[in-house]
Amino acid sequence: MNSTIWLALALVLVLEGLGPMLYPQAWRKMVAALSQLPDHILRRFGGGLVVAGVVIYYMLTKALG
């Protein structure tokens, strides 16, 4: 794999780990609230994250090279 992909994965892991590390009770409440949402809402939320990630990736690749 490209080293950029590994760096991006590492950054995702760092950012994802900050919530449970710094605010475990709030993180647990958020996960519990998310687990109660209907599937179609979670799919929209996940799709929005994917689209945002693709847009950011596209913008960075255009700006950097």
Side-chain angles (χ1 to χ4, degrees):
M1 268 192 180
N2 190 350
S3 63
T4 305
I5 299 297
W6 286 111
L7 288 172
L9 178 61
L11 182 59
V12 167
L13 292 174
V14 167
L15 293 175
E16 287 289 328
L18 285 175
M21 184 181 79
L22 298 175
Y23 307 104
Q25 291 177 346
W27 186 82
R28 188 177 290 118
K29 288 179 186 178
M30 181 195 66
V31 170
L34 284 173
S35 71
Q36 301 300 316
L37 290 176
D39 287 349
H40 71 279
I41 298 294
L42 290 175
R43 283 190 182 102
R44 285 185 184 175
F45 183 71
L49 291 175
V50 169
V51 169
V54 169
V55 168
I56 290 169
Y57 176 80
Y58 176 78
M59 291 171 58
L60 286 174
T61 56
K62 287 294 181 180
L64 298 176

Short mmCIF file of all heavy atoms in Angstrom, two decimals:
data_model
loop_
_atom_site.label_atom_id
_atom_site.label_comp_id
_atom_site.label_asym_id
_atom_site.label_seq_id
_atom_site.Cartn_x
_atom_site.Cartn_y
_atom_site.Cartn_z
N MET A 1 0.84 -1.19 0.00
CA MET A 1 0.00 0.00 0.00
C MET A 1 0.87 1.25 0.00
O MET A 1 1.99 1.24 0.49
CB MET A 1 -0.87 0.02 1.25
CG MET A 1 -2.20 -0.59 1.12
SD MET A 1 -3.14 -0.12 2.59
CE MET A 1 -4.62 -0.94 2.24
N ASN A 2 0.29 2.27 -0.47
CA ASN A 2 0.97 3.56 -0.50
C ASN A 2 1.14 4.08 0.93
O ASN A 2 0.27 3.92 1.78
CB ASN A 2 0.11 4.52 -1.33
CG ASN A 2 0.81 5.81 -1.63
OD1 ASN A 2 1.86 6.10 -1.09
ND2 ASN A 2 0.20 6.60 -2.48
N SER A 3 2.27 4.74 1.18
CA SER A 3 2.52 5.24 2.53
C SER A 3 1.51 6.31 2.94
O SER A 3 1.22 6.47 4.12
CB SER A 3 3.94 5.80 2.62
OG SER A 3 4.11 6.89 1.75
N THR A 4 0.94 7.03 1.98
CA THR A 4 -0.07 8.03 2.30
C THR A 4 -1.31 7.38 2.90
O THR A 4 -1.90 7.92 3.84
CB THR A 4 -0.45 8.81 1.03
OG1 THR A 4 0.72 9.36 0.46
CG2 THR A 4 -1.44 9.91 1.33
N ILE A 5 -1.68 6.22 2.40
CA ILE A 5 -2.84 5.50 2.94
C ILE A 5 -2.56 5.10 4.38
O ILE A 5 -3.43 5.23 5.25
CB ILE A 5 -3.17 4.27 2.07
CG1 ILE A 5 -3.51 4.68 0.65
CG2 ILE A 5 -4.27 3.44 2.70
CD1 ILE A 5 -4.75 5.54 0.53
N TRP A 6 -1.35 4.61 4.65
CA TRP A 6 -1.01 4.22 6.02
C TRP A 6 -1.00 5.41 6.95
O TRP A 6 -1.44 5.32 8.11
CB TRP A 6 0.35 3.51 6.05
CG TRP A 6 0.28 2.13 5.49
CD1 TRP A 6 0.83 1.69 4.32
CD2 TRP A 6 -0.40 1.00 6.06
NE1 TRP A 6 0.53 0.37 4.14
CE2 TRP A 6 -0.22 -0.08 5.18
CE3 TRP A 6 -1.15 0.81 7.21
CZ2 TRP A 6 -0.76 -1.34 5.44
CZ3 TRP A 6 -1.69 -0.44 7.46
CH2 TRP A 6 -1.48 -1.49 6.59
N LEU A 7 -0.50 6.56 6.47
CA LEU A 7 -0.52 7.78 7.29
C LEU A 7 -1.95 8.23 7.57
O LEU A 7 -2.27 8.63 8.69
CB LEU A 7 0.26 8.89 6.60
CG LEU A 7 1.77 8.73 6.56
CD1 LEU A 7 2.40 9.80 5.69
CD2 LEU A 7 2.34 8.78 7.96
N ALA A 8 -2.81 8.14 6.58
CA ALA A 8 -4.21 8.52 6.77
C ALA A 8 -4.88 7.58 7.78
O ALA A 8 -5.63 8.03 8.65
CB ALA A 8 -4.94 8.48 5.44
N LEU A 9 -4.62 6.30 7.66
CA LEU A 9 -5.18 5.34 8.61
C LEU A 9 -4.69 5.61 10.03
O LEU A 9 -5.47 5.57 10.99
CB LEU A 9 -4.82 3.91 8.20
CG LEU A 9 -5.31 2.81 9.11
CD1 LEU A 9 -6.83 2.81 9.21
CD2 LEU A 9 -4.81 1.46 8.63
N ALA A 10 -3.41 5.93 10.16
CA ALA A 10 -2.86 6.26 11.48
C ALA A 10 -3.54 7.48 12.07
O ALA A 10 -3.88 7.52 13.26
CB ALA A 10 -1.35 6.48 11.38
N LEU A 11 -3.78 8.49 11.25
CA LEU A 11 -4.44 9.70 11.72
C LEU A 11 -5.88 9.41 12.15
O LEU A 11 -6.34 9.91 13.17
CB LEU A 11 -4.42 10.78 10.64
CG LEU A 11 -5.03 12.12 11.01
CD1 LEU A 11 -4.32 12.73 12.21
CD2 LEU A 11 -4.98 13.07 9.83
N VAL A 12 -6.57 8.58 11.40
CA VAL A 12 -7.94 8.19 11.77
C VAL A 12 -7.94 7.49 13.12
O VAL A 12 -8.78 7.77 13.98
CB VAL A 12 -8.57 7.30 10.68
CG1 VAL A 12 -9.83 6.62 11.18
CG2 VAL A 12 -8.86 8.10 9.44
N LEU A 13 -6.99 6.58 13.32
CA LEU A 13 -6.93 5.86 14.59
C LEU A 13 -6.64 6.80 15.76
O LEU A 13 -7.23 6.65 16.84
CB LEU A 13 -5.86 4.76 14.52
CG LEU A 13 -6.19 3.60 13.57
CD1 LEU A 13 -4.99 2.66 13.47
CD2 LEU A 13 -7.42 2.86 14.02
N VAL A 14 -5.76 7.76 15.55
CA VAL A 14 -5.47 8.73 16.61
C VAL A 14 -6.71 9.54 16.94
O VAL A 14 -7.09 9.69 18.11
CB VAL A 14 -4.30 9.66 16.19
CG1 VAL A 14 -4.19 10.85 17.13
CG2 VAL A 14 -2.99 8.89 16.17
N LEU A 15 -7.37 10.05 15.91
CA LEU A 15 -8.56 10.88 16.14
C LEU A 15 -9.70 10.07 16.77
O LEU A 15 -10.41 10.56 17.65
CB LEU A 15 -9.02 11.53 14.84
CG LEU A 15 -8.06 12.57 14.28
CD1 LEU A 15 -8.56 13.07 12.92
CD2 LEU A 15 -7.88 13.72 15.24
N GLU A 16 -9.88 8.84 16.32
CA GLU A 16 -10.94 7.99 16.88
C GLU A 16 -10.64 7.62 18.33
O GLU A 16 -11.55 7.41 19.12
CB GLU A 16 -11.10 6.72 16.05
CG GLU A 16 -11.74 6.94 14.72
CD GLU A 16 -13.21 7.26 14.82
OE1 GLU A 16 -13.88 6.76 15.73
OE2 GLU A 16 -13.69 8.03 13.96
N GLY A 17 -9.39 7.52 18.68
CA GLY A 17 -9.01 7.14 20.04
C GLY A 17 -9.09 8.27 21.04
O GLY A 17 -9.13 8.03 22.26
N LEU A 18 -9.13 9.50 20.58
CA LEU A 18 -9.16 10.64 21.49
C LEU A 18 -10.44 10.69 22.32
O LEU A 18 -10.41 11.02 23.50
CB LEU A 18 -9.00 11.96 20.72
CG LEU A 18 -7.59 12.27 20.24
CD1 LEU A 18 -7.59 13.54 19.40
CD2 LEU A 18 -6.62 12.37 21.38
N GLY A 19 -11.58 10.39 21.70
CA GLY A 19 -12.86 10.44 22.42
C GLY A 19 -12.89 9.52 23.63
O GLY A 19 -13.10 9.98 24.76
N PRO A 20 -12.67 8.21 23.43
CA PRO A 20 -12.72 7.31 24.59
C PRO A 20 -11.60 7.58 25.60
O PRO A 20 -11.77 7.32 26.79
CB PRO A 20 -12.60 5.92 24.00
CG PRO A 20 -12.45 6.05 22.56
CD PRO A 20 -12.57 7.49 22.18
N MET A 21 -10.46 8.08 25.13
CA MET A 21 -9.36 8.33 26.05
C MET A 21 -9.62 9.55 26.94
O MET A 21 -9.41 9.51 28.14
CB MET A 21 -8.06 8.55 25.27
CG MET A 21 -6.84 8.74 26.16
SD MET A 21 -5.34 9.01 25.23
CE MET A 21 -5.51 10.72 24.80
N LEU A 22 -10.13 10.63 26.35
CA LEU A 22 -10.31 11.87 27.09
C LEU A 22 -11.66 11.99 27.79
O LEU A 22 -11.76 12.57 28.86
CB LEU A 22 -10.11 13.07 26.16
CG LEU A 22 -8.72 13.20 25.53
CD1 LEU A 22 -8.70 14.35 24.55
CD2 LEU A 22 -7.66 13.35 26.60
N TYR A 23 -12.72 11.47 27.15
CA TYR A 23 -14.08 11.61 27.67
C TYR A 23 -14.82 10.27 27.61
O TYR A 23 -15.77 10.12 26.84
CB TYR A 23 -14.85 12.66 26.87
CG TYR A 23 -14.14 13.99 26.77
CD1 TYR A 23 -13.50 14.37 25.60
CD2 TYR A 23 -14.10 14.86 27.85
CE1 TYR A 23 -12.83 15.59 25.50
CE2 TYR A 23 -13.45 16.07 27.77
CZ TYR A 23 -12.82 16.43 26.60
OH TYR A 23 -12.16 17.63 26.51
N PRO A 24 -14.40 9.29 28.40
CA PRO A 24 -14.99 7.95 28.26
C PRO A 24 -16.50 7.90 28.54
O PRO A 24 -17.22 7.19 27.84
CB PRO A 24 -14.21 7.10 29.26
CG PRO A 24 -13.56 8.05 30.19
CD PRO A 24 -13.38 9.33 29.44
N GLN A 25 -16.98 8.63 29.54
CA GLN A 25 -18.41 8.58 29.85
C GLN A 25 -19.24 9.22 28.75
O GLN A 25 -20.27 8.68 28.33
CB GLN A 25 -18.69 9.23 31.19
CG GLN A 25 -18.15 8.43 32.36
CD GLN A 25 -18.39 9.13 33.68
OE1 GLN A 25 -18.72 10.31 33.73
NE2 GLN A 25 -18.20 8.41 34.77
N ALA A 26 -18.82 10.38 28.26
CA ALA A 26 -19.54 11.04 27.17
C ALA A 26 -19.49 10.20 25.90
O ALA A 26 -20.47 10.10 25.16
CB ALA A 26 -18.96 12.43 26.93
N TRP A 27 -18.34 9.57 25.64
CA TRP A 27 -18.20 8.73 24.46
C TRP A 27 -19.15 7.53 24.55
O TRP A 27 -19.80 7.19 23.56
CB TRP A 27 -16.75 8.27 24.35
CG TRP A 27 -16.45 7.50 23.11
CD1 TRP A 27 -16.17 8.00 21.88
CD2 TRP A 27 -16.40 6.08 22.99
NE1 TRP A 27 -15.94 6.98 21.00
CE2 TRP A 27 -16.08 5.78 21.65
CE3 TRP A 27 -16.60 5.03 23.88
CZ2 TRP A 27 -15.95 4.49 21.19
CZ3 TRP A 27 -16.46 3.74 23.42
CH2 TRP A 27 -16.15 3.48 22.09
N ARG A 28 -19.25 6.94 25.72
CA ARG A 28 -20.14 5.79 25.92
C ARG A 28 -21.60 6.19 25.70
O ARG A 28 -22.37 5.48 25.06
CB ARG A 28 -19.96 5.22 27.33
CG ARG A 28 -20.71 3.93 27.55
CD ARG A 28 -20.45 3.34 28.93
NE ARG A 28 -19.08 2.85 29.03
CZ ARG A 28 -18.17 3.31 29.88
NH1 ARG A 28 -18.46 4.28 30.72
NH2 ARG A 28 -16.96 2.82 29.91
N LYS A 29 -21.98 7.38 26.20
CA LYS A 29 -23.35 7.88 26.00
C LYS A 29 -23.62 8.12 24.52
O LYS A 29 -24.70 7.82 24.02
CB LYS A 29 -23.58 9.16 26.79
CG LYS A 29 -23.69 8.95 28.28
CD LYS A 29 -23.90 10.28 28.99
CE LYS A 29 -23.87 10.10 30.49
NZ LYS A 29 -24.02 11.39 31.18
N MET A 30 -22.64 8.68 23.82
CA MET A 30 -22.82 8.94 22.40
C MET A 30 -22.99 7.64 21.62
O MET A 30 -23.86 7.54 20.75
CB MET A 30 -21.62 9.71 21.84
CG MET A 30 -21.76 10.04 20.37
SD MET A 30 -20.22 10.54 19.59
CE MET A 30 -19.26 9.06 19.69
N VAL A 31 -22.18 6.65 21.93
CA VAL A 31 -22.29 5.36 21.24
C VAL A 31 -23.64 4.71 21.55
O VAL A 31 -24.28 4.13 20.66
CB VAL A 31 -21.11 4.43 21.62
CG1 VAL A 31 -21.33 3.03 21.12
CG2 VAL A 31 -19.80 5.00 21.09
N ALA A 32 -24.09 4.82 22.78
CA ALA A 32 -25.40 4.26 23.14
C ALA A 32 -26.51 4.97 22.38
O ALA A 32 -27.45 4.33 21.91
CB ALA A 32 -25.62 4.36 24.65
N ALA A 33 -26.40 6.30 22.26
CA ALA A 33 -27.42 7.05 21.52
C ALA A 33 -27.39 6.68 20.04
O ALA A 33 -28.45 6.53 19.40
CB ALA A 33 -27.20 8.55 21.70
N LEU A 34 -26.21 6.52 19.48
CA LEU A 34 -26.10 6.13 18.07
C LEU A 34 -26.68 4.75 17.82
O LEU A 34 -27.27 4.49 16.77
CB LEU A 34 -24.64 6.16 17.62
CG LEU A 34 -24.03 7.53 17.35
CD1 LEU A 34 -22.55 7.41 17.07
CD2 LEU A 34 -24.74 8.21 16.19
N SER A 35 -26.52 3.86 18.80
CA SER A 35 -27.03 2.49 18.61
C SER A 35 -28.55 2.46 18.59
O SER A 35 -29.13 1.48 18.11
CB SER A 35 -26.49 1.57 19.70
OG SER A 35 -27.08 1.88 20.94
N GLN A 36 -29.20 3.50 19.07
CA GLN A 36 -30.66 3.54 19.09
C GLN A 36 -31.25 4.16 17.82
O GLN A 36 -32.46 4.10 17.62
CB GLN A 36 -31.15 4.34 20.31
CG GLN A 36 -30.70 3.77 21.64
CD GLN A 36 -31.20 2.36 21.86
OE1 GLN A 36 -32.36 2.05 21.59
NE2 GLN A 36 -30.32 1.50 22.33
N LEU A 37 -30.41 4.75 16.98
CA LEU A 37 -30.90 5.38 15.75
C LEU A 37 -31.33 4.32 14.73
O LEU A 37 -30.73 3.24 14.66
CB LEU A 37 -29.81 6.26 15.13
CG LEU A 37 -29.46 7.52 15.90
CD1 LEU A 37 -28.30 8.23 15.22
CD2 LEU A 37 -30.65 8.45 15.98
N PRO A 38 -32.31 4.64 13.91
CA PRO A 38 -32.72 3.70 12.86
C PRO A 38 -31.62 3.52 11.81
O PRO A 38 -30.76 4.39 11.63
CB PRO A 38 -33.95 4.37 12.23
CG PRO A 38 -34.24 5.58 13.00
CD PRO A 38 -33.14 5.83 13.96
N ASP A 39 -31.67 2.40 11.12
CA ASP A 39 -30.64 2.07 10.14
C ASP A 39 -30.51 3.12 9.04
O ASP A 39 -29.39 3.45 8.64
CB ASP A 39 -30.92 0.71 9.50
CG ASP A 39 -30.64 -0.44 10.44
OD1 ASP A 39 -30.05 -0.21 11.51
OD2 ASP A 39 -31.03 -1.58 10.10
N HIS A 40 -31.62 3.66 8.57
CA HIS A 40 -31.52 4.60 7.46
C HIS A 40 -30.81 5.89 7.87
O HIS A 40 -30.11 6.50 7.06
CB HIS A 40 -32.91 4.89 6.84
CG HIS A 40 -33.80 5.71 7.71
ND1 HIS A 40 -34.53 5.17 8.74
CD2 HIS A 40 -34.08 7.04 7.68
CE1 HIS A 40 -35.24 6.14 9.32
NE2 HIS A 40 -34.98 7.27 8.70
N ILE A 41 -30.94 6.28 9.12
CA ILE A 41 -30.23 7.48 9.60
C ILE A 41 -28.74 7.18 9.69
O ILE A 41 -27.91 8.01 9.29
CB ILE A 41 -30.78 7.92 10.98
CG1 ILE A 41 -32.26 8.30 10.88
CG2 ILE A 41 -29.96 9.06 11.56
CD1 ILE A 41 -32.52 9.53 10.04
N LEU A 42 -28.38 6.01 10.20
CA LEU A 42 -26.97 5.64 10.28
C LEU A 42 -26.35 5.54 8.90
O LEU A 42 -25.18 5.93 8.70
CB LEU A 42 -26.81 4.32 11.04
CG LEU A 42 -27.09 4.38 12.53
CD1 LEU A 42 -27.01 2.98 13.13
CD2 LEU A 42 -26.13 5.31 13.23
N ARG A 43 -27.11 5.02 7.93
CA ARG A 43 -26.58 4.92 6.56
C ARG A 43 -26.34 6.32 5.98
O ARG A 43 -25.34 6.55 5.30
CB ARG A 43 -27.55 4.15 5.68
CG ARG A 43 -27.48 2.67 5.92
CD ARG A 43 -28.26 1.90 4.86
NE ARG A 43 -28.20 0.49 5.17
CZ ARG A 43 -29.18 -0.20 5.73
NH1 ARG A 43 -30.32 0.39 6.04
NH2 ARG A 43 -29.03 -1.49 5.97
N ARG A 44 -27.27 7.24 6.22
CA ARG A 44 -27.07 8.61 5.74
C ARG A 44 -25.86 9.25 6.39
O ARG A 44 -25.07 9.94 5.74
CB ARG A 44 -28.31 9.45 6.00
CG ARG A 44 -29.44 9.15 5.08
CD ARG A 44 -30.58 10.09 5.32
NE ARG A 44 -31.72 9.73 4.48
CZ ARG A 44 -32.89 10.30 4.53
NH1 ARG A 44 -33.11 11.26 5.42
NH2 ARG A 44 -33.85 9.92 3.75
N PHE A 45 -25.72 9.05 7.68
CA PHE A 45 -24.58 9.60 8.41
C PHE A 45 -23.27 9.02 7.87
O PHE A 45 -22.32 9.74 7.58
CB PHE A 45 -24.73 9.30 9.91
CG PHE A 45 -23.65 9.89 10.76
CD1 PHE A 45 -23.58 11.24 10.97
CD2 PHE A 45 -22.70 9.07 11.34
CE1 PHE A 45 -22.58 11.78 11.77
CE2 PHE A 45 -21.70 9.59 12.13
CZ PHE A 45 -21.64 10.96 12.34
N GLY A 46 -23.23 7.70 7.70
CA GLY A 46 -22.04 7.05 7.16
C GLY A 46 -21.75 7.50 5.74
O GLY A 46 -20.60 7.75 5.37
N GLY A 47 -22.80 7.62 4.92
CA GLY A 47 -22.60 8.10 3.56
C GLY A 47 -22.07 9.52 3.51
O GLY A 47 -21.21 9.85 2.69
N GLY A 48 -22.57 10.35 4.42
CA GLY A 48 -22.07 11.72 4.50
C GLY A 48 -20.60 11.77 4.87
O GLY A 48 -19.83 12.56 4.32
N LEU A 49 -20.19 10.91 5.78
CA LEU A 49 -18.78 10.84 6.15
C LEU A 49 -17.91 10.38 4.99
O LEU A 49 -16.81 10.90 4.76
CB LEU A 49 -18.59 9.92 7.35
CG LEU A 49 -19.16 10.42 8.68
CD1 LEU A 49 -19.02 9.34 9.75
CD2 LEU A 49 -18.47 11.69 9.11
N VAL A 50 -18.41 9.39 4.25
CA VAL A 50 -17.66 8.89 3.09
C VAL A 50 -17.52 9.99 2.04
O VAL A 50 -16.43 10.22 1.51
CB VAL A 50 -18.34 7.64 2.49
CG1 VAL A 50 -17.75 7.28 1.15
CG2 VAL A 50 -18.23 6.47 3.45
N VAL A 51 -18.61 10.69 1.75
CA VAL A 51 -18.56 11.77 0.75
C VAL A 51 -17.62 12.87 1.22
O VAL A 51 -16.81 13.38 0.43
CB VAL A 51 -19.98 12.32 0.48
CG1 VAL A 51 -19.93 13.60 -0.33
CG2 VAL A 51 -20.81 11.27 -0.23
N ALA A 52 -17.69 13.24 2.49
CA ALA A 52 -16.79 14.27 3.01
C ALA A 52 -15.33 13.83 2.88
O ALA A 52 -14.47 14.62 2.49
CB ALA A 52 -17.13 14.58 4.47
N GLY A 53 -15.06 12.58 3.19
CA GLY A 53 -13.70 12.06 3.06
C GLY A 53 -13.20 12.08 1.63
O GLY A 53 -12.05 12.46 1.36
N VAL A 54 -14.06 11.70 0.69
CA VAL A 54 -13.66 11.70 -0.72
C VAL A 54 -13.42 13.12 -1.21
O VAL A 54 -12.45 13.39 -1.93
CB VAL A 54 -14.74 10.99 -1.57
CG1 VAL A 54 -14.50 11.21 -3.05
CG2 VAL A 54 -14.77 9.50 -1.25
N VAL A 55 -14.27 14.05 -0.79
CA VAL A 55 -14.09 15.46 -1.20
C VAL A 55 -12.79 16.03 -0.64
O VAL A 55 -12.02 16.67 -1.36
CB VAL A 55 -15.31 16.31 -0.76
CG1 VAL A 55 -15.03 17.80 -0.90
CG2 VAL A 55 -16.54 15.91 -1.56
N ILE A 56 -12.51 15.75 0.62
CA ILE A 56 -11.27 16.24 1.23
C ILE A 56 -10.06 15.62 0.53
O ILE A 56 -9.08 16.30 0.23
CB ILE A 56 -11.25 15.94 2.74
CG1 ILE A 56 -12.28 16.83 3.45
CG2 ILE A 56 -9.86 16.16 3.33
CD1 ILE A 56 -12.53 16.46 4.88
N TYR A 57 -10.14 14.32 0.25
CA TYR A 57 -9.04 13.65 -0.45
C TYR A 57 -8.82 14.27 -1.83
O TYR A 57 -7.69 14.55 -2.21
CB TYR A 57 -9.34 12.15 -0.58
CG TYR A 57 -8.30 11.41 -1.37
CD1 TYR A 57 -7.11 11.04 -0.79
CD2 TYR A 57 -8.52 11.10 -2.71
CE1 TYR A 57 -6.15 10.37 -1.53
CE2 TYR A 57 -7.57 10.43 -3.45
CZ TYR A 57 -6.38 10.06 -2.85
OH TYR A 57 -5.45 9.42 -3.58
N TYR A 58 -9.91 14.49 -2.56
CA TYR A 58 -9.81 15.08 -3.89
C TYR A 58 -9.20 16.48 -3.82
O TYR A 58 -8.32 16.82 -4.62
CB TYR A 58 -11.20 15.14 -4.53
CG TYR A 58 -11.22 15.83 -5.87
CD1 TYR A 58 -10.77 15.16 -7.00
CD2 TYR A 58 -11.67 17.13 -6.01
CE1 TYR A 58 -10.77 15.78 -8.24
CE2 TYR A 58 -11.69 17.76 -7.23
CZ TYR A 58 -11.23 17.08 -8.35
OH TYR A 58 -11.24 17.70 -9.56
N MET A 59 -9.65 17.29 -2.87
CA MET A 59 -9.13 18.65 -2.73
C MET A 59 -7.64 18.63 -2.39
O MET A 59 -6.87 19.43 -2.92
CB MET A 59 -9.92 19.42 -1.68
CG MET A 59 -11.34 19.73 -2.10
SD MET A 59 -12.37 20.40 -0.79
CE MET A 59 -11.47 21.85 -0.31
N LEU A 60 -7.24 17.73 -1.52
CA LEU A 60 -5.83 17.66 -1.14
C LEU A 60 -4.96 17.18 -2.29
O LEU A 60 -3.85 17.69 -2.49
CB LEU A 60 -5.65 16.74 0.07
CG LEU A 60 -6.10 17.31 1.41
CD1 LEU A 60 -6.01 16.25 2.50
CD2 LEU A 60 -5.26 18.53 1.77
N THR A 61 -5.44 16.19 -3.04
CA THR A 61 -4.62 15.71 -4.16
C THR A 61 -4.48 16.78 -5.24
O THR A 61 -3.43 16.90 -5.87
CB THR A 61 -5.20 14.43 -4.78
OG1 THR A 61 -6.55 14.64 -5.17
CG2 THR A 61 -5.11 13.27 -3.81
N LYS A 62 -5.53 17.58 -5.46
CA LYS A 62 -5.44 18.68 -6.43
C LYS A 62 -4.51 19.78 -5.95
O LYS A 62 -3.76 20.36 -6.71
CB LYS A 62 -6.82 19.26 -6.73
CG LYS A 62 -7.68 18.37 -7.55
CD LYS A 62 -7.09 18.23 -8.93
CE LYS A 62 -7.96 17.35 -9.79
NZ LYS A 62 -7.42 17.19 -11.12
N ALA A 63 -4.56 20.07 -4.65
CA ALA A 63 -3.76 21.18 -4.10
C ALA A 63 -2.29 20.79 -3.96
O ALA A 63 -1.40 21.63 -4.15
CB ALA A 63 -4.30 21.60 -2.74
N LEU A 64 -2.02 19.53 -3.66
CA LEU A 64 -0.65 19.11 -3.39
C LEU A 64 0.07 18.54 -4.62
O LEU A 64 1.28 18.40 -4.59
CB LEU A 64 -0.63 18.07 -2.27
CG LEU A 64 -1.15 18.56 -0.91
CD1 LEU A 64 -1.15 17.42 0.09
CD2 LEU A 64 -0.29 19.72 -0.41
N GLY A 65 -0.66 18.21 -5.63
CA GLY A 65 0.11 17.60 -6.71
C GLY A 65 -0.63 17.45 -7.94
O GLY A 65 -0.36 17.26 -9.00
#
